[in-house]
Amino acid sequence: MKFKSIRIALFLLFFTGIGIFAEEGMDWIGSFSSKELEMSDETEDQDTVYYLWQLESLKKNIAPRYIRYLDVESYVSSGKLIHRGILFTYNGLRDESVEICGSFNNWDCSDMKRNQYGIYYTIVEPTQITDTYEEDPVYEYKFRVNGLLTYDPENFDKLEDGSGSYYSRFILEGKDTDRQTKTMVLEDSANEERDLRTVKFQIYLPNAEVVRVVGSFNDWNPEHDFLKKDRKGVFTLEKKLLPGEYHYQFIVDGDYMLDTYNPTTHIKVDTNESVSSLLVPERSYALERKM
């Protein structure tokens, strides 16, 4: 009951804060019906945000697409309200089970959720991001319907699988991939050290000229750590850090800002301003010797 009350309170606080009942509030959150979602093309507007209930209201299966959606229920555990992912759907009104199997889950089949109209759906988190961004991530997949594998009938992009059938394919455009770039602790890099972890600071800022990172790891000195910009507008910097919690900000052409896709923040005591927070965990496995 306690956690349920917290979720309700957060729900009311959030929607009151943005004025969701006002017309401009509805425009901000993306008040689109499930019918409009069904009719829209495969490239979603970066500013459109869907509700989970819209997926529950889908009456037809649609081609896969990259979407942003609001999930209030998971906010307490995840700390995020707006999530991103690739929506896959299948019309299984007369089917008992539908799963999705693909390159994004090592071809292990995962259950899809069935709504009241018999539409099965799932949202795959877009994690297939290459370091160089030389190619757009490709998602190959099939549906397993009542135990039998089949391709996506709504997706015209399909290739022969070598056994007389097809597998479907979805290509996530680079502009979407770049926008969700975030700082992360790497599991492996070219030069790993036993007691240190490699942190990759990165942010998508195609219009910026100079980006630096300041934080508790460099005494907030703006002259120490400059990020390098690639051809797609992604700034990156790898640093070796000891396990622990760190606070940081980016300096973008002289202006301080939070890490866009890091939802964890902290109040810096001496300045009373918000800064991004990153936990660098202890290594959970033995470091292998590189040849």
Side-chain angles (χ1 to χ4, degrees), residues 22-283:
E23 183 177 353
E24 60 271 20
M26 294 300 286
D27 288 340
W28 181 87
I29 202 64
S31 55
F32 302 94
S33 69
S34 60
K35 184 176 180 181
E36 288 171 325
L37 176 59
E38 294 162 14
M39 296 175 62
S40 62
D41 61 26
E42 296 180 19
T43 304
E44 295 298 317
D45 187 331
Q46 289 288 319
D47 297 324
T48 302
V49 180
Y50 294 103
Y51 300 96
L52 282 181
W53 63 258
Q54 290 175 285
L55 303 181
E56 287 291 336
S57 302
L58 279 172
K59 295 182 179 179
K60 58 171 291 195
N61 52 318
I62 55 180
R65 63 202 57 200
Y66 174 82
I67 66 168
R68 302 166 73 229
Y69 62 99
L70 188 69
D71 187 358
V72 177
E73 285 296 315
S74 70
Y75 179 76
V76 173
S77 59
S78 69
K80 295 193 299 182
L81 280 170
I82 297 179
H83 299 256
R84 294 159 180 80
I86 302 165
L87 172 66
F88 295 92
T89 63
Y90 185 85
N91 188 343
L93 182 61
R94 297 179 176 83
D95 301 304
E96 294 182 1
S97 68
V98 177
E99 301 165 285
I100 189 169
C101 327
S103 57
F104 43 83
N105 60 5
N106 296 317
W107 293 97
D108 291 330
C109 297
S110 305
D111 291 333
M112 298 178 69
K113 188 175 181 180
R114 186 181 190 271
N115 73 10
Q116 58 182 324
Y117 299 108
I119 302 300
Y120 285 82
Y121 68 90
T122 190
I123 300 174
V124 174
E125 190 172 338
T127 56
Q128 295 184 205
I129 306 174
T130 62
D131 291 336
T132 59
Y133 296 93
E134 292 175 354
E135 297 180 354
D136 297 327
V138 177
Y139 295 76
E140 300 171 349
Y141 67 100
K142 284 188 174 185
F143 294 122
R144 186 160 70 180
V145 183
N146 295 333
L148 300 176
L149 290 170
T150 184
Y151 58 89
D152 187 346
E154 289 296 322
N155 187 356
F156 294 112
D157 189 354
K158 62 181 187 292
L159 300 172
E160 293 184 2
D161 63 2
S163 60
S165 185
Y166 300 91
Y167 63 85
S168 299
R169 182 176 67 170
F170 174 75
I171 300 176
L172 180 61
E173 294 183 2
K175 61 183 178 64
D176 291 327
T177 303
D178 294 337
R179 289 185 182 219
Q180 66 193 10
T181 299
K182 64 180 181 180
T183 295
M184 62 181 69
V185 180
L186 301 182
E187 287 299 323
D188 193 17
S189 68
N191 298 295
E192 286 297 307
E193 300 179 26
R194 186 180 65 179
D195 298 325
L196 299 173
R197 300 298 304 274
T198 302
V199 176
K200 188 172 187 177
F201 293 93
Q202 50 186 356
I203 188 168
Y204 174 70
L205 294 167
N207 298 320
E209 296 294 332
V210 179
V211 176
R212 294 167 283 179
V213 62
V214 294
S216 51
F217 46 80
N218 65 5
D219 294 325
W220 301 93
N221 190 323
E223 301 302 324
H224 282 178
D225 294 311
F226 289 77
L227 281 70
K228 183 178 180 180
K229 185 179 184 180
D230 70 12
R231 62 185 180 84
K232 287 199 172 183
V234 179
F235 286 82
T236 60
L237 171 70
E238 291 188 10
K239 282 187 67 68
K240 301 290 185 181
L241 297 177
L242 289 167
E245 184 179 13
Y246 297 92
H247 305 138
Y248 67 98
Q249 287 178 306
F250 289 118
I251 306 177
V252 181
D253 293 336
D255 295 324
Y256 286 77
M257 65 173 287
L258 294 171
D259 191 345
T260 309
Y261 283 95
N262 181 355
T264 306
T265 59
H266 178 84
I267 299 298
K268 194 166 180 284
V269 176
D270 56 341
T271 61
N272 199 32
E273 61 181 336
S274 294
V275 294
S276 297
S277 181
L278 176 68
L279 179 64
V280 179
E282 297 274 357
R283 194 182 301 279

